[in-house]
CSV table of all heavy atoms in Angstrom, one decimal:
chain,number,residue,atom,x,y,z
A,553,GLY,N,83.8,101.4,112.2
A,553,GLY,CA,84.8,100.7,111.5
A,553,GLY,C,86.2,100.9,111.9
A,553,GLY,O,87.0,100.1,111.8
A,555,TRP,N,87.6,100.5,114.5
A,555,TRP,CA,87.4,99.9,115.9
A,555,TRP,C,88.8,99.9,116.6
A,555,TRP,O,88.8,100.1,117.8
A,555,TRP,CB,86.9,98.5,115.7
A,555,TRP,CG,85.7,98.4,114.9
A,555,TRP,CD1,85.5,97.7,113.8
A,555,TRP,CD2,84.4,99.0,115.2
A,555,TRP,NE1,84.2,97.9,113.3
A,555,TRP,CE2,83.5,98.7,114.2
A,555,TRP,CE3,84.0,99.9,116.3
A,555,TRP,CZ2,82.2,99.2,114.2
A,555,TRP,CZ3,82.7,100.3,116.3
A,555,TRP,CH2,81.8,100.0,115.2
A,556,SER,N,89.8,99.8,115.9
A,556,SER,CA,91.1,99.8,116.5
A,556,SER,C,91.3,101.2,117.1
A,556,SER,O,91.8,101.4,118.3
A,556,SER,CB,92.2,99.5,115.6
A,556,SER,OG,92.1,98.1,115.2
A,572,VAL,N,87.3,93.9,118.3
A,572,VAL,CA,86.2,93.0,117.8
A,572,VAL,C,85.0,93.1,118.7
A,572,VAL,O,83.9,93.1,118.2
A,572,VAL,CB,86.8,91.5,117.8
A,572,VAL,CG1,85.7,90.6,117.4
A,572,VAL,CG2,87.9,91.5,116.8
A,575,LYS,N,83.3,96.2,117.8
A,575,LYS,CA,82.6,96.0,116.5
A,575,LYS,C,81.3,95.2,116.8
A,575,LYS,O,80.2,95.5,116.2
A,575,LYS,CB,83.5,95.2,115.6
A,575,LYS,CG,82.8,95.0,114.2
A,575,LYS,CD,82.4,93.6,114.0
A,575,LYS,CE,83.5,92.6,114.3
A,575,LYS,NZ,83.0,91.2,114.3
A,579,ARG,N,77.5,96.4,116.3
A,579,ARG,CA,76.6,95.7,115.5
A,579,ARG,C,75.2,95.4,116.2
A,579,ARG,O,74.2,95.6,115.7
A,579,ARG,CB,77.2,94.3,115.0
A,579,ARG,CG,76.3,93.5,114.1
A,579,ARG,CD,77.1,92.4,113.5
A,579,ARG,NE,77.7,91.5,114.5
A,579,ARG,CZ,78.4,90.5,114.1
A,579,ARG,NH1,78.5,90.1,112.9
A,579,ARG,NH2,78.9,89.7,115.1
B,2,DT,P,95.9,95.8,115.6
B,2,DT,OP1,96.2,97.1,116.2
B,2,DT,OP2,95.5,94.6,116.4
B,2,DT,O5',94.8,96.0,114.5
B,2,DT,C5',95.1,96.8,113.4
B,2,DT,C4',94.0,96.7,112.3
B,2,DT,O4',94.1,95.4,111.7
B,2,DT,C3',92.6,96.9,112.9
B,2,DT,O3',91.9,97.8,112.1
B,2,DT,C2',92.0,95.5,112.7
B,2,DT,C1',92.8,94.9,111.6
B,2,DT,N1,92.9,93.4,111.5
B,2,DT,C2,92.4,92.8,110.4
B,2,DT,O2,91.9,93.3,109.4
B,2,DT,N3,92.6,91.4,110.4
B,2,DT,C4,93.1,90.7,111.5
B,2,DT,O4,93.2,89.4,111.4
B,2,DT,C5,93.6,91.4,112.6
B,2,DT,C7,94.2,90.7,113.8
B,2,DT,C6,93.4,92.8,112.6
B,3,DT,P,90.5,98.3,112.6
B,3,DT,OP1,90.4,99.7,112.3
B,3,DT,OP2,90.3,97.8,113.9
B,3,DT,O5',89.6,97.5,111.5
B,3,DT,C5',89.9,97.6,110.2
B,3,DT,C4',89.0,96.7,109.4
B,3,DT,O4',89.4,95.3,109.5
B,3,DT,C3',87.5,96.7,109.8
B,3,DT,O3',86.7,97.0,108.6
B,3,DT,C2',87.2,95.4,110.4
B,3,DT,C1',88.2,94.5,109.7
B,3,DT,N1,88.6,93.3,110.4
B,3,DT,C2,88.5,92.1,109.8
B,3,DT,O2,88.1,91.9,108.7
B,3,DT,N3,89.0,91.0,110.6
B,3,DT,C4,89.5,91.1,111.9
B,3,DT,O4,89.8,90.1,112.5
B,3,DT,C5,89.5,92.4,112.4
B,3,DT,C7,90.1,92.6,113.8
B,3,DT,C6,89.1,93.4,111.7
B,4,DA,P,85.3,97.4,108.8
B,4,DA,OP1,85.0,98.4,107.8
B,4,DA,OP2,84.9,97.6,110.2
B,4,DA,O5',84.6,96.0,108.3
B,4,DA,C5',85.0,95.4,107.1
B,4,DA,C4',84.3,94.1,106.9
B,4,DA,O4',85.0,93.1,107.8
B,4,DA,C3',82.8,94.0,107.4
B,4,DA,O3',82.1,93.4,106.3
B,4,DA,C2',82.8,93.2,108.6
B,4,DA,C1',84.0,92.3,108.5
B,4,DA,N9,84.7,91.9,109.7
B,4,DA,C8,85.0,92.7,110.8
B,4,DA,N7,85.5,92.1,111.8
B,4,DA,C5,85.6,90.8,111.3
B,4,DA,C6,86.2,89.6,111.9
B,4,DA,N6,86.7,89.6,113.1
B,4,DA,N1,86.1,88.5,111.1
B,4,DA,C2,85.6,88.5,109.9
B,4,DA,N3,85.1,89.5,109.3
B,4,DA,C4,85.1,90.6,110.0
B,5,DG,P,80.5,93.5,106.4
B,5,DG,OP1,80.1,93.7,105.1
B,5,DG,OP2,80.1,94.4,107.5
B,5,DG,O5',80.2,92.0,106.8
B,5,DG,C5',80.8,90.9,106.1
B,5,DG,C4',80.7,89.7,106.8
B,5,DG,O4',81.6,89.7,108.0
B,5,DG,C3',79.3,89.4,107.4
B,5,DG,O3',78.8,88.2,106.8
B,5,DG,C2',79.5,89.2,108.9
B,5,DG,C1',81.0,88.9,109.0
B,5,DG,N9,81.6,89.2,110.2
B,5,DG,C8,81.6,90.3,110.9
B,5,DG,N7,82.2,90.3,112.0
B,5,DG,C5,82.7,89.0,112.1
B,5,DG,C6,83.5,88.4,113.1
B,5,DG,O6,83.9,88.8,114.1
B,5,DG,N1,83.8,87.0,112.8
B,5,DG,C2,83.3,86.4,111.6
B,5,DG,N2,83.7,85.1,111.5
B,5,DG,N3,82.6,87.0,110.7
B,5,DG,C4,82.3,88.3,111.0
B,6,DG,P,77.3,87.8,107.0
B,6,DG,OP1,76.7,87.7,105.7
B,6,DG,OP2,76.7,88.6,108.1
B,6,DG,O5',77.6,86.3,107.6
B,6,DG,C5',78.5,85.5,107.0
B,6,DG,C4',78.9,84.3,107.9
B,6,DG,O4',79.7,84.9,109.0
B,6,DG,C3',77.7,83.6,108.5
B,6,DG,O3',77.9,82.2,108.5
B,6,DG,C2',77.7,84.1,110.0
B,6,DG,C1',79.2,84.4,110.2
B,6,DG,N9,79.4,85.4,111.2
B,6,DG,C8,79.0,86.7,111.2
B,6,DG,N7,79.4,87.3,112.3
B,6,DG,C5,80.1,86.4,113.0
B,6,DG,C6,80.8,86.6,114.3
B,6,DG,O6,80.9,87.6,115.0
B,6,DG,N1,81.4,85.4,114.7
B,6,DG,C2,81.4,84.2,113.9
B,6,DG,N2,82.0,83.2,114.5
B,6,DG,N3,80.7,84.1,112.8
B,6,DG,C4,80.1,85.2,112.4
B,7,DG,P,76.9,81.3,109.0
B,7,DG,OP1,77.0,80.0,108.2
B,7,DG,OP2,75.6,82.0,109.2
B,7,DG,O5',77.4,80.9,110.5
B,7,DG,C5',78.8,80.5,110.6
B,7,DG,C4',79.0,80.0,112.1
B,7,DG,O4',79.3,81.1,112.9
B,7,DG,C3',77.8,79.3,112.7
B,7,DG,O3',78.2,78.2,113.4
B,7,DG,C2',77.2,80.3,113.6
B,7,DG,C1',78.4,81.1,114.0
B,7,DG,N9,78.1,82.5,114.3
B,7,DG,C8,77.4,83.4,113.6
B,7,DG,N7,77.3,84.6,114.2
B,7,DG,C5,78.0,84.4,115.3
B,7,DG,C6,78.3,85.4,116.4
B,7,DG,O6,78.0,86.5,116.4
B,7,DG,N1,79.1,84.8,117.4
B,7,DG,C2,79.6,83.5,117.4
B,7,DG,N2,80.3,83.2,118.4
B,7,DG,N3,79.3,82.6,116.4
B,7,DG,C4,78.5,83.2,115.5
Side-chain angles (χ1 to χ4, degrees):
Chain A
W555 307 119
S556 290
V572 177
K575 182 256 311 175
R579 182 168 54 178

